[in-house]
Amino acid sequence: NHDPDLPICLEQTVLVWIPLGFLWLCAPRHLVSLCRRTRVNTKHLSKLYLIFNVLACLLLRRREGAVDSAILFLFWLLLVLCNIFPFQTLIREALKQGAVNDVPRFCLFYISFGLQLIALILSAVADIPVELRELAKKNPEIGAVFLSRITFNWFNSMVVKGYKQPLVQEDMWELNEAESTAYINQRFQYFMQSELDSARVRFQNKLKNKRDKNRDMAQEETFQNGPSDSLGKGVSRDGLMMVSMLKCASLTNFVSLLRMMISFTQDTSSYAWEGYLYAVLLLVVAILQSLFLQQYFQRCFVLGMKVRTAIMAAVYKKALVVSNDTRKESTVGETVNLMSADAQRFNDVTNFIHLLWSCPLQIILSIVFLWIELGPSVLAGLAVMGLMVPINGLLATKARKLQVENMKFKDKRLKIMNEILNGIKILKLYAWEPSFQAQVEDIRGQELKVMRKFAYLTSVSTFIFSCAPALVSLATFSVFVGVSSENVLTAEKAFTSISLFNILRFPLAMLPMLIAAIVQTTVSKKRLEKFLGGEDLASDIVRHDPSFKSAVSVCDGSFAWEKEAQPLVSLDIKPGRLVAVVGAVGSGKSSLMSAVLGEMHCTKGFVNIKGSLAFVPQQAWIQNATLRDNILFGSPHEDKRLQEVVEACALVPDLELLPGGDLTEIGEKGINLSGGQKQRVSLARAAYSQADIYLLDDPLSAVDSHVGKHLFDKVLGPKGILKNKTRILVTHGVNFLPYVDEIVVLVDGVVSEVGSYNSLRVSRGAFSEFLDTYAKEQNHCQDTADLELIPEREDTQPDSPLEDSVSFTLKRENSIRRSQRHGRLGIRKNCSIRTPEGADESKAGQRLIEKETMETGQVKFSVYLQYLRAMGWGYSIMVFVVYFIQNIAFIGQNLWLSDWTNDAVEYSNKTYPASKRDTRVGVFGALGVAQGLFVFLGTLLMANASVNASCILHSRLLNNILRVPMVFFDTTPIGRVVNRFAKDIFTVDEAIPLSFRSWLLCLLGVLGTLFVICLATPFFTLVILPLALIYYFVQRFYVATSRQLRRLDSVSRSPIYSHFGETVSGLSVIRAYGHQERFLKHNEITIDENLKSVYPWIVSNRWLAIRLEFLGNLVVFFSALFAVISRETLDSGLVGLSISYALNVTQTLNWLVRMTSELETNIVAVERVSEYSELENEAKWVTDNQPPEKWPEAGSLQFENYKVRYRPELDLVLHGITCEIDSTEKIGIVGRTGAGKSSLTSCLFRIIEAAEGRILVDGVDISTIGLHDLRNRLTIIPQDPVLFSGTLRMNLDPFDRFSDEEIWSVLELSHLKDYVAGLKEQLQHEVAEGGENLSVGQRQLLCLARALLRKSRILILDEATAAVDLETDNLIQNTIRSEFSHCTVLTIAHRLHSIMDSSRVMVLDAGKIVEFDSPTKLLEKQGHFFAMAKDAGVTREEITAL
């Protein structure tokens, strides 16, 4: 029939029942959710009322909090669609007869149809409940209707915004409750807990004798099921099964439609409407498939994101309670890795987890259809595919081995880089950069070797993969044609089967990848199990029983770090007392603190603590936050209390020096504070917390002596702000002991004596020995100091505050500074720390750490060129040409096939000649293999080129980073630099080559497809332009948004890891204050901030995919439509070809955009790497102007009006220093913190360059020679002893310039010989990262040994005595006196005793020399130096004694 229509009876039965059936099927679910919340008065219910209510509910009401009802929308949609048929039938009837038969029915039908349309429109409009309106503004997804949800239209506003201007974190929308960290974590912990409980039950049922082994097993099991089950419970809700089933079904629909299309074009007798019907059906099926597929992906990706979040939160939570044993098993880096790498792996696998069952299903379905088409000859093709699988598997295992090897080198390289960056100052001072550069380059070389091997492997597997489809179709078709002469290849057979083979390619490629990914994830799973199943800190070691009389009591406690026990300890400390804990180095003072905190294993006895704790660790732990936040530490802010604490902790002058006052941001690990300042902040934090008990682990050692005295008076001592609290103070300072209530003496981990100062002194036990060792240099001053201090205290009237020298110097410094700044900042007389009036001016320096620069907008084309240049132009061009030829071969093969199918028409009733058959098969096969070979060639070239690029980019980066001035490292967090070496170099190594190759292949693929379609149906050229335009716009919009979201993601990800790293390093402090909850909260917030950019990124991909697939579906539709329109002129082979190509184009288009944006995202790494390769360098290491061989022979120094500033925009630090220092003089340099003592040494080494003036060493101006020439001839013993991991020998002599004998003699002089000789490997002994396995004293002595080796004429000692106990100090001082007697020695002193024998003392104040003379003369002068000496209790008698 030319004019088709549906039969009337069908219209009035089936079409009516379709929508209603749908409604009744969905009704139960809809009604249940409604009935849950409506309470009805049950008395007067008639049947009619009930029926009416149910109907009203069905058609009109919706769930609470829902914006619309998907079920109702679909119902109305189906109703309208089904009614379209009777709609046109009725009109046709009327037109045919010229009159309407049944007027009332006719009218009613059209009225109801209109109403249905209105209902449909209304059900597609959002009706946002009032309570959700505010939320919907912050998160449009809540207010999105069903249609908008399935097409992701609600995301449009974000895309448009992202296109207009680069997105920033503030533009991100609020998260849905179900995606927030707190919610996910709570669910995960809930499931994990239930799994753990059931596992414990299982575990108890097991045998008891294999106790340990079982415990591990049980933990394994608990966790194994933990995440997988809790994930399972998360997945099951998502109706993914249904979605994937539909996906498979629609794939097969395509194929059958394609067959009908082809047979339609061949059979000219069939009606035109059939063709149009097929075309429309193709479109409808395609659109449905797209919608389902995108929903499926969306759900999978969101699930993956949730899994990652759950794991991150769980790891963080665990890290807060983990016991010290488990903590020792893995370094901070490894734990951070659990959060970053392993969680990410889980994320990636979950994205595709459903392919595990849908892949095999797709394979089976395709095979069934192929069998129907071609019969048993399909088996030939399948056999070829089967052969591919083991080959691929083999390659994959080999590749994995290489990957593991590669990771080893990567870890090694990053470890060294980390150390280099942490100790960069030392490397610069010692001029050791070349040695370390060589080490890194060496590892990098091995890494690139492995990478090259890996790249060759991939090219082999690519070759196999690209040959596969050609070989498979070749095998199948040749067998099919060869089996019998009856079998003729027709167009429908050939192209239907090629489409099916294409469908098969995807699951076959995915399965091995998926399995490999799952294998990798099992490794991650094991690591996570080990960590999450590790032991927690026993919470029962420390009791909090308020009935005890004493504040802290330790009863027969026996504690150990590992499991084996230490000797017994018993302690009893009454509330409100100040107790000092003393003992020699290594006698267990810090361990006692840890025991009280409950950080150690308690094998016996218990600890009881009455009240809350505050803890000041030996090495201050500072967070990367403002100074105020560091002091408040989560307590509410009270101005008066803060003021009091800051004054007591002597922080007022420091706050004035800091650009932003107490709102100055402190860098990671407190980088912009001096050691003493860190310690004072740490003490202020404790003092502010208002706890009941204070544990102070030697807080006074890192500060100058007079500051120490001030802290003791104002904070800790009998008159301090903590005078009514219980204080336990570990100390080395003997002069404070007379003022404490009680002294506990430790010897080898046992309490040997307890008592007051006087009673212990009388008893002549361990304490008096301790006094003798420690007070050798202080014993003269002890009595005089006592005499001096005590009357002074009685003099002052109780009401006037004690004016000690600290506050005196502070006041004086203020006045000096005020005059300098010309009152720019009006600092108030009473020194209160309000923000100065000129606050806005001082903002410049307030932020120390510049915000990480985030490139915005389009990546510049020059960056791509830079990468291509690094690859080499020759390579780049060859790669392109080779891939292009491969593409031509591919098209040629398919055109040959379409030509071959035309034979079927030609020889329809003749026999098919054998020779013809052989040429057909031969050419077809040859073209297929040619493709494979070209791909192989291209991939090989690409591999070589990309390894080249990696090599060049990395060495440029490394070379430059080592030559960057020190200022850069002070203002840039180390993590940021490491990130360049880790993440960005990784991207350059692995991601860019991959995405570059895929992008090239996709681009050529799309162009090829369009070419073929235009060849088959020339009409199609008309549609290309509009489609291309739409495509271009969608792509530009998407890329702008997606790229920025990716950048936001990576920028917001680093705070998660740095916060985590900070938490792990400050665990004991966090636990002592009991702030775990607060840190958990903070972690949740930081992860949420990250999710806010991850979630939109996932949605943006779906937004794009839906739009592109729609475009692709239009391409299919048009190519089918034009084939129908011009079927008279076309041969069936080309139609089949163009439609089967068009079916492929959807995927390829999608990939092309995805790859473009991926390439843009990844190429940013090149941009970031080159940003750091182009930083300004310091002066040349070696210049032509070389100093004489023996320089400096005399070692005399001259400063001429020397001025210096740290950064161009800051004030001067040294204001015109002029002085002369003769050969072999011993100079002491003193001054308050921040007076410019350390800056002076930095200038000698040209760590900072002069602003004006110059320094002459033996008459040579140091600014004229190369840095290494200068730095190699001077020697410094730095403030913090930095060691690098490697052998002891390498730490002393990285360039192997000295013989072993020389090294041993040096070790003897630095009192380390016995220790080193006692080690198993002696000089080859491995030093741990940062020298962790040596004590601080030993590290300091090693630094002394380094100095002794270099034998230079000028030695600088930088506060080397600060972190050392007095014994080591004495050893160092004596060695220096004897060994460096012929050198010029500059000592920056903390303890005045150490410089009393200097030939002259330089007193610095605010960057100027205020006094410079011999110590005796300075004391007579009674100026600055005298005040300091009086403070430290140094007297004249002592100096004469010296």
Side-chain angles (χ1 to χ4, degrees):
N1 184 353
H2 260 308
D3 188 18
D5 199 355
L6 294 176
I8 296 271
C9 68
L10 184 84
E11 283 181 3
Q12 290 178 355
T13 53
V14 179
L15 290 189
V16 174
W17 276 108
I18 288 176
L20 286 178
F22 171 78
L23 185 64
W24 291 122
L25 276 176
C26 300
R29 190 176 151 229
H30 191 72
L31 288 175
V32 165
S33 64
L34 287 175
C35 297
R36 276 203 195 124
R37 53 170 246 255
T38 38
R39 291 193 205 79
V40 188
N41 181 4
T42 44
K43 273 187 203 152
H44 346 277
L45 289 184
S46 63
K47 280 182 189 166
L48 189 69
Y49 175 73
L50 265 179
I51 290 172
F52 179 73
N53 240 352
V54 167
L55 274 177
C57 281
L58 262 187
L59 295 180
L60 304 170
R61 300 184 60 173
R62 58 185 63 157
R63 292 199 320 281
E64 194 168 13
V67 185
D68 68 338
S69 159
I71 295 170
L72 287 183
F73 173 75
L74 289 174
F75 165 68
W76 291 118
L77 183 67
L78 281 173
L79 202 58
V80 169
L81 286 178
C82 290
N83 273 341
I84 284 177
F85 292 100
F87 181 94
Q88 50 100 30
T89 310
L90 283 172
I91 288 185
R92 276 175 160 185
E93 285 289 301
L95 286 174
K96 210 181 275 175
Q97 296 175 4
V100 177
N101 290 344
D102 186 351
V103 178
R105 176 151 186 256
F106 189 83
C107 298
L108 275 176
F109 175 79
Y110 285 109
I111 291 170
S112 75
F113 187 78
L115 290 174
Q116 283 165 9
L117 262 177
I118 292 172
L120 172 66
I121 291 165
L122 286 179
S123 71
V125 175
D127 169 23
I128 305 175
V130 182
E131 63 271 17
L132 289 183
R133 284 211 179 123
E134 272 312 299
L135 261 178
K137 276 183 198 144
K138 291 189 192 129
N139 179 3
E141 192 181 355
I142 295 175
V145 282
F146 175 71
L147 251 183
S148 165
R149 283 201 302 273
I150 58 171
T151 55
F152 299 100
N153 261 340
W154 55 271
F155 193 70
N156 288 352
S157 56
M158 173 84 86
V159 180
V160 172
K161 194 175 208 170
Y163 180 69
K164 284 187 189 147
Q165 63 200 49
L167 294 169
V168 287
Q169 190 67 38
E170 285 67 53
D171 297 330
M172 294 299 117
W173 291 331
E174 292 298 313
L175 289 171
N176 295 337
E177 217 250 311
E179 269 101 49
S180 66
T181 314
Y183 177 81
I184 296 171
N185 189 24
Q186 175 198 337
R187 278 188 66 103
F188 181 72
Q189 296 287 347
Y190 164 71
F191 287 127
M192 195 166 109
Q193 221 34 61
S194 56
E195 291 295 334
L196 275 171
D197 296 341
S198 59
R200 283 209 184 95
V201 174
R202 280 203 300 271
F203 167 50
Q204 258 116 35
N205 298 342
K206 284 189 183 166
L207 299 167
K208 290 280 183 280
N209 52 7
K210 298 189 204 153
R211 213 39 213 273
D212 276 346
K213 192 172 148 205
N214 279 5
R215 198 177 74 219
D216 296 344
M217 288 288 296
Q219 279 168 355
E220 288 271 304
E221 280 182 29
T222 54
F223 200 67
Q224 252 159 11
N225 305 351
S228 47
D229 283 29
S230 34
L231 300 182
K233 286 167 188 155
V235 185
S236 52
R237 304 199 315 268
D238 275 357
L240 290 168
M241 302 298 207
M242 176 185 88
V243 170
S244 307
M245 288 297 292
L246 280 158
K247 173 175 134 194
C248 294
S250 59
L251 281 175
T252 49
N253 279 353
F254 265 148
V255 178
S256 40
L257 280 169
L258 175 66
R259 260 180 73 193
M260 294 172 181
M261 254 334 281
I262 295 176
S263 60
F264 164 77
T265 47
Q266 279 175 339
D267 174 18
T268 42
S269 62
S270 53
Y271 296 114
W273 63 264
E274 284 183 39
Y276 294 124
L277 180 68
Y278 293 147
V280 172
L281 277 178
L282 262 178
L283 181 66
V284 171
V285 171
I287 286 177
L288 279 178
Q289 185 200 8
S290 299
L291 290 177
F292 278 121
L293 198 60
Q294 295 319 317
Q295 280 305 315
Y296 158 78
F297 275 138
Q298 163 77 353
R299 300 250 151 113
C300 272
F301 275 94
V302 170
L303 183 71
M305 178 186 90
K306 288 182 179 176
V307 172
R308 187 185 118 217
T309 309
I311 289 173
M312 284 165 99
V315 167
Y316 189 88
K317 189 167 181 175
K318 179 72 181 181
L320 283 173
V321 294
V322 73
S323 72
N324 281 301
D325 278 3
T326 322
R327 219 172 110 196
K328 277 216 183 68
E329 279 168 23
S330 50
T331 62
V332 178
E334 284 173 317
T335 340
V336 172
N337 236 342
L338 286 178
M339 257 185 136
S340 52
D342 295 330
Q344 192 56 46
R345 282 233 175 99
F346 265 94
N347 182 355
D348 296 343
V349 161
T350 340
N351 288 347
F352 300 111
I353 199 86
H354 289 282
L355 293 177
L356 266 183
W357 60 269
S358 71
C359 274
L361 189 69
Q362 272 180 336
I363 293 174
I364 292 164
L365 281 174
S366 310
I367 291 172
V368 171
F369 276 95
L370 275 168
W371 189 281
I372 298 170
E373 282 298 322
L374 301 174
S377 36
V378 173
L379 295 176
L382 286 181
V384 176
M385 280 189 167
L387 278 175
M388 299 295 172
V389 174
I391 297 176
N392 262 336
L394 203 99
L395 288 171
T397 44
K398 188 97 181 73
R400 185 152 326 107
K401 273 206 193 99
L402 287 176
Q403 275 300 65
V404 170
E405 205 179 334
N406 201 358
M407 285 317 285
K408 273 220 299 274
F409 288 132
K410 250 191 191 32
D411 287 348
K412 217 159 136 192
R413 189 185 90 228
L414 284 182
K415 191 171 155 205
I416 293 197
M417 276 318 302
N418 222 340
E419 297 209 313
I420 289 182
L421 295 169
N422 276 316
I424 187 84
K425 184 143 190 199
I426 301 298
L427 291 188
K428 286 192 179 306
L429 292 172
Y430 284 117
W432 277 359
E433 300 104 328
S435 155
F436 281 83
Q437 188 172 351
Q439 281 183 45
V440 177
E441 289 284 8
D442 187 42
I443 294 174
R444 177 71 178 167
Q446 292 169 298
E447 192 186 347
L448 287 174
K449 245 194 215 125
V450 175
M451 257 176 60
R452 190 163 261 144
K453 272 191 207 157
F454 185 69
Y456 290 162
L457 258 185
T458 17
S459 52
V460 174
S461 62
T462 318
F463 167 62
I464 290 173
F465 183 59
S466 57
C467 270
L471 289 177
V472 170
S473 37
L474 173 69
T476 314
F477 293 152
S478 52
V479 169
F480 176 71
V481 181
V483 173
S484 82
S485 52
E486 322 286 69
N487 287 351
V488 179
L489 203 57
T490 62
E492 45 190 298
K493 275 197 165 50
F495 288 110
T496 312
S497 23
I498 280 198
S499 282
L500 282 164
F501 279 132
N502 277 341
I503 289 175
L504 260 179
R505 276 174 65 182
F506 174 72
L508 278 177
M510 281 310 290
L511 264 182
M513 273 169 57
L514 188 65
I515 291 163
I518 286 176
V519 170
Q520 275 185 335
T521 312
T522 44
V523 177
S524 293
K525 179 170 134 292
K526 286 216 175 69
R527 289 175 49 175
L528 279 163
E529 271 163 19
K530 189 175 155 206
F531 181 75
L532 291 170
E535 281 194 10
D536 290 0
L537 258 195
S539 48
D540 51 1
I541 299 177
V542 179
R543 304 183 192 171
H544 291 277
D545 185 351
S547 60
F548 276 70
K549 286 279 182 292
S550 46
V552 178
S553 53
V554 182
C555 299
D556 303 333
S558 159
F559 303 99
W561 283 112
E562 264 70 51
K563 291 281 197 297
E564 70 281 356
Q566 277 183 346
L568 294 182
V569 180
S570 283
L571 253 191
D572 205 33
I573 292 170
K574 299 280 178 290
R577 300 188 62 131
L578 169 55
V579 180
V581 179
V582 296
V585 177
S587 61
K589 302 186 292 289
S590 298
S591 300
L592 177 68
M593 290 295 187
S594 301
V596 173
L597 288 171
E599 296 268 334
M600 291 174 76
H601 282 290
C602 177
T603 42
K604 204 167 142 218
F606 67 90
V607 180
N608 187 66
I609 285 183
K610 198 166 115 191
S612 56
L613 275 176
F615 174 53
V616 180
Q618 193 166 7
Q619 301 221 312
W621 174 70
I622 303 289
Q623 275 184 286
N624 181 359
T626 62
L627 192 81
R628 179 186 290 174
D629 291 339
N630 264 303
I631 295 176
L632 299 181
F633 202 59
S635 315
H637 173 226
E638 292 172 27
D639 219 21
K640 189 160 164 285
R641 182 159 119 219
L642 182 67
Q643 191 82 26
E644 197 177 72
V645 168
V646 168
E647 276 174 22
C649 294
L651 281 167
V652 177
D654 301 312
L655 288 180
E656 283 165 15
L657 289 177
L658 290 172
D662 64 348
L663 293 177
T664 307
E665 183 198 10
I666 308 299
E668 318 180 55
K669 304 200 188 96
I671 185 142
N672 47 343
L673 296 179
S674 69
Q677 285 169 325
K678 279 190 238 180
Q679 201 61 56
R680 296 206 293 277
V681 171
S682 182
L683 185 63
R685 173 190 304 157
Y688 190 85
S689 70
Q690 293 190 318
D692 305 321
I693 299 166
Y694 289 82
L695 300 179
L696 309 152
D697 195 349
D698 206 3
L700 300 176
S701 65
V703 295
D704 304 359
S705 54
H706 56 277
V707 178
K709 178 173 167 244
H710 172 96
L711 291 179
F712 188 78
D713 289 349
K714 287 290 189 352
V715 186
L716 309 173
K719 294 244 176 82
I721 52 176
L722 303 180
K723 56 176 178 286
N724 303 324
K725 311 275 190 186
T726 315
R727 290 142 295 165
I728 305 179
L729 170 70
V730 171
T731 183
H732 283 147
V734 187
N735 21 359
F736 303 125
L737 294 181
Y739 309 109
V740 302
D741 302 323
E742 199 166 16
I743 296 173
V744 177
V745 186
L746 288 179
V747 179
D748 297 332
V750 187
V751 176
S752 74
E753 310 176 84
V754 180
S756 70
Y757 181 72
N758 294 331
S759 63
L760 288 182
R761 239 176 130 172
V762 173
S763 71
R764 289 267 162 243
F767 180 63
S768 43
E769 280 176 37
F770 169 81
L771 274 184
D772 293 343
T773 26
Y774 273 93
K776 279 212 178 78
E777 51 195 87
Q778 299 188 348
N779 53 6
H780 305 292
C781 69
Q782 196 62 55
D783 313 319
T784 50
D786 287 358
L787 294 176
E788 257 182 28
L789 284 169
I790 295 157
E792 184 180 305
R793 291 187 167 210
E794 285 162 2
D795 288 349
T796 45
Q797 291 87 26
D799 55 1
S800 76
L802 161 71
E803 180 115 336
D804 71 340
S805 48
V806 176
S807 44
F808 175 65
T809 40
L810 305 192
K811 278 189 184 162
R812 203 191 54 254
E813 285 208 344
N814 278 348
S815 57
I816 295 174
R817 200 164 296 110
R818 212 174 293 133
S819 58
Q820 277 168 13
R821 296 200 186 162
H822 311 298
R824 180 171 58 121
L825 304 179
I827 295 169
R828 315 218 170 34
K829 293 285 186 294
N830 57 4
C831 283
S832 76
I833 24 168
R834 301 193 200 101
T835 329
E837 267 112 68
D840 45 317
E841 293 176 45
S842 67
K843 277 290 186 305
Q846 180 168 345
R847 292 200 58 90
L848 163 83
I849 297 211
E850 308 296 330
K851 248 205 147 125
E852 179 153 11
T853 46
M854 200 174 74
E855 292 292 333
T856 49
Q858 216 167 336
V859 181
K860 297 182 197 63
F861 188 62
S862 59
V863 180
Y864 293 100
L865 287 182
Q866 200 171 9
Y867 185 70
L868 290 178
R869 204 175 304 129
M871 277 174 36
W873 286 115
Y875 272 135
S876 311
I877 293 165
M878 272 156 66
V879 168
F880 186 78
V881 170
V882 168
Y883 279 144
F884 190 68
I885 298 175
Q886 176 261 329
N887 211 35
I888 290 175
F890 179 57
I891 295 175
Q893 187 189 21
N894 282 333
L895 286 173
W896 183 258
L897 182 66
S898 83
D899 198 37
W900 183 0
T901 55
N902 289 342
D903 291 355
V905 186
E906 218 174 296
Y907 300 95
S908 50
N909 19 11
K910 302 181 215 149
T911 49
Y912 194 57
S915 59
K916 181 107 187 195
R917 185 188 69 204
D918 296 340
T919 26
R920 287 294 188 198
V921 173
V923 173
F924 187 74
L927 282 168
V929 176
Q931 271 183 69
L933 280 174
F934 280 119
V935 167
F936 179 58
L937 233 171
T939 322
L940 270 185
L941 290 169
M942 188 77 198
N944 273 328
S946 57
V947 171
N948 267 0
S950 295
C951 179
I952 290 171
L953 288 169
H954 178 266
S955 46
R956 279 216 316 245
L957 174 67
L958 178 67
N959 209 5
N960 200 54
I961 280 293
L962 289 176
R963 287 174 169 72
V964 166
M966 200 58 217
V967 172
F968 170 76
F969 296 101
D970 290 338
T971 54
T972 313
I974 284 174
R976 204 177 288 171
V977 186
V978 171
N979 216 349
R980 297 287 192 277
F981 280 98
K983 181 99 186 315
D984 294 326
I985 286 288
F986 174 76
T987 311
V988 170
D989 287 353
E990 305 197 1
I992 293 183
L994 258 179
S995 51
F996 188 60
R997 197 178 76 213
S998 315
W999 177 77
L1000 197 56
L1001 286 173
C1002 278
L1003 179 69
L1004 293 170
V1006 170
L1007 293 176
T1009 306
L1010 292 177
F1011 172 71
V1012 169
I1013 298 179
C1014 291
L1015 194 77
T1017 45
F1019 267 133
F1020 188 73
T1021 39
L1022 301 175
V1023 195
I1024 282 190
L1025 264 176
L1027 284 182
L1029 269 175
I1030 299 174
Y1031 172 77
Y1032 176 76
F1033 274 112
V1034 168
Q1035 195 247 14
R1036 283 274 29 106
F1037 267 96
Y1038 162 77
V1039 170
T1041 307
S1042 157
R1043 184 182 50 226
Q1044 208 53 20
L1045 285 171
R1046 264 343 267 272
R1047 285 173 176 161
L1048 281 173
D1049 169 29
S1050 54
V1051 168
S1052 64
R1053 202 172 276 207
S1054 22
I1056 303 178
Y1057 305 143
S1058 54
H1059 177 240
F1060 183 58
E1062 220 168 47
T1063 308
V1064 176
S1065 53
L1067 260 182
S1068 48
V1069 179
I1070 297 171
R1071 286 181 191 162
Y1073 284 95
H1075 278 224
Q1076 291 95 324
E1077 272 309 304
R1078 183 166 73 87
F1079 277 81
L1080 274 175
K1081 268 276 160 303
H1082 187 117
N1083 181 50
E1084 278 172 10
I1085 292 168
T1086 33
I1087 295 184
D1088 274 349
E1089 280 303 299
N1090 176 241
L1091 290 185
K1092 276 184 193 174
S1093 53
V1094 178
Y1095 182 68
W1097 182 71
I1098 294 174
V1099 178
S1100 74
N1101 281 343
R1102 302 281 70 83
W1103 179 89
L1104 166 84
I1106 273 243
R1107 278 150 188 70
L1108 286 188
E1109 291 210 350
F1110 204 79
L1111 272 185
N1113 299 339
L1114 284 178
V1115 172
V1116 175
F1117 173 64
F1118 281 124
S1119 64
L1121 193 65
F1122 291 138
V1124 175
I1125 293 173
S1126 51
R1127 66 173 169 162
E1128 267 70 41
T1129 54
L1130 292 183
D1131 61 7
S1132 55
L1134 275 177
V1135 173
L1137 184 63
S1138 76
I1139 294 179
S1140 68
Y1141 254 60
L1143 284 177
N1144 251 345
V1145 83
T1146 352
Q1147 259 2 61
T1148 341
L1149 270 182
N1150 207 339
W1151 270 114
L1152 184 61
V1153 172
R1154 194 64 57 72
M1155 281 301 137
T1156 311
S1157 90
E1158 182 125 323
L1159 191 60
E1160 278 213 359
T1161 311
N1162 286 336
I1163 209 87
V1164 171
V1166 176
E1167 191 174 36
R1168 286 164 54 112
V1169 166
S1170 64
E1171 176 198 350
Y1172 274 17
S1173 322
E1174 287 154 14
L1175 291 169
E1176 209 175 312
N1177 287 353
E1178 49 186 3
K1180 282 216 179 73
W1181 281 350
V1182 180
T1183 56
D1184 309 333
N1185 179 14
Q1186 288 202 323
E1189 192 55 41
K1190 289 265 171 56
W1191 178 89
E1193 272 183 277
S1196 63
L1197 292 168
Q1198 272 174 302
F1199 286 83
E1200 296 181 0
N1201 188 23
Y1202 197 78
K1203 296 181 181 174
V1204 79
R1205 49 169 58 98
Y1206 273 102
R1207 304 210 288 282
E1209 69 273 11
L1210 298 182
D1211 294 341
L1212 288 174
V1213 199
L1214 296 179
H1215 300 270
I1217 295 237
T1218 308
C1219 63
E1220 282 189 34
I1221 296 169
D1222 298 330
S1223 177
T1224 72
E1225 261 200 300
K1226 308 283 176 278
I1227 304 288
I1229 303 176
V1230 294
R1232 256 200 99 253
T1233 313
K1237 305 190 291 271
S1238 302
S1239 310
L1240 201 61
T1241 53
S1242 303
C1243 297
L1244 271 177
F1245 286 91
R1246 284 175 62 197
I1247 294 291
I1248 38 183
E1249 298 280 357
E1252 226 183 286
R1254 54 186 195 153
I1255 303 180
L1256 304 177
V1257 176
D1258 277 3
V1260 175
D1261 180 352
I1262 61 169
S1263 61
T1264 58
I1265 56 177
L1267 288 181
H1268 278 193
D1269 289 330
L1270 168 69
R1271 291 170 184 172
N1272 270 321
R1273 313 292 173 89
L1274 306 177
T1275 302
I1276 184 165
I1277 301 181
Q1279 197 166 1
D1280 346 317
V1282 175
L1283 299 185
F1284 300 97
S1285 60
T1287 59
L1288 268 178
R1289 204 201 138 100
M1290 187 220 73
N1291 268 297
L1292 290 171
D1293 173 28
F1295 293 103
D1296 283 333
R1297 287 181 187 153
F1298 302 98
S1299 65
D1300 279 7
E1301 290 72 53
E1302 291 178 279
I1303 289 182
W1304 279 111
S1305 67
V1306 164
L1307 285 176
E1308 187 170 10
L1309 290 172
S1310 53
H1311 310 279
L1312 279 172
K1313 188 174 181 182
D1314 307 341
Y1315 170 72
V1316 178
L1319 295 169
K1320 228 186 6 229
E1321 284 113 3
Q1322 303 202 331
L1323 285 178
Q1324 297 307 312
H1325 175 68
E1326 280 292 321
V1327 178
E1329 206 171 335
E1332 294 293 323
N1333 53 356
L1334 300 173
S1335 75
V1336 180
Q1338 285 164 336
R1339 285 185 240 167
Q1340 200 75 57
L1341 290 173
L1342 264 180
C1343 289
L1344 176 67
R1346 279 181 196 163
L1348 288 165
L1349 256 186
R1350 289 173 73 122
K1351 308 191 183 52
S1352 47
R1353 299 302 306 261
I1354 298 180
L1355 171 73
I1356 290 142
L1357 275 176
D1358 186 359
E1359 302 191 331
T1361 52
V1364 184
D1365 50 280
L1366 298 169
E1367 294 165 72
T1368 325
D1369 196 13
N1370 275 340
L1371 295 178
I1372 292 180
Q1373 291 295 342
N1374 294 336
T1375 310
I1376 288 172
R1377 283 190 190 121
S1378 57
E1379 292 305 311
F1380 292 104
S1381 53
H1382 60 290
C1383 303
T1384 311
V1385 182
L1386 305 179
T1387 312
I1388 293 182
H1390 247 200
R1391 305 184 174 149
L1392 293 184
H1393 306 281
S1394 53
I1395 55 156
M1396 279 308 180
D1397 59 341
S1398 319
S1399 36
R1400 289 194 288 171
V1401 173
M1402 180 190 296
V1403 184
L1404 284 176
D1405 190 73
K1408 290 198 173 76
I1409 299 184
V1410 276
E1411 301 178 321
F1412 190 24
D1413 215 332
S1414 65
T1416 30
K1417 284 190 180 149
L1418 288 179
L1419 280 178
E1420 282 163 12
K1421 247 178 85 175
Q1422 299 210 352
H1424 291 245
F1425 186 68
F1426 176 72
M1428 288 171 142
K1430 185 177 164 193
D1431 247 10
V1434 181
T1435 55
R1436 260 176 238 165
E1437 292 80 75
E1438 190 175 336
I1439 291 157
T1440 34
L1442 284 170

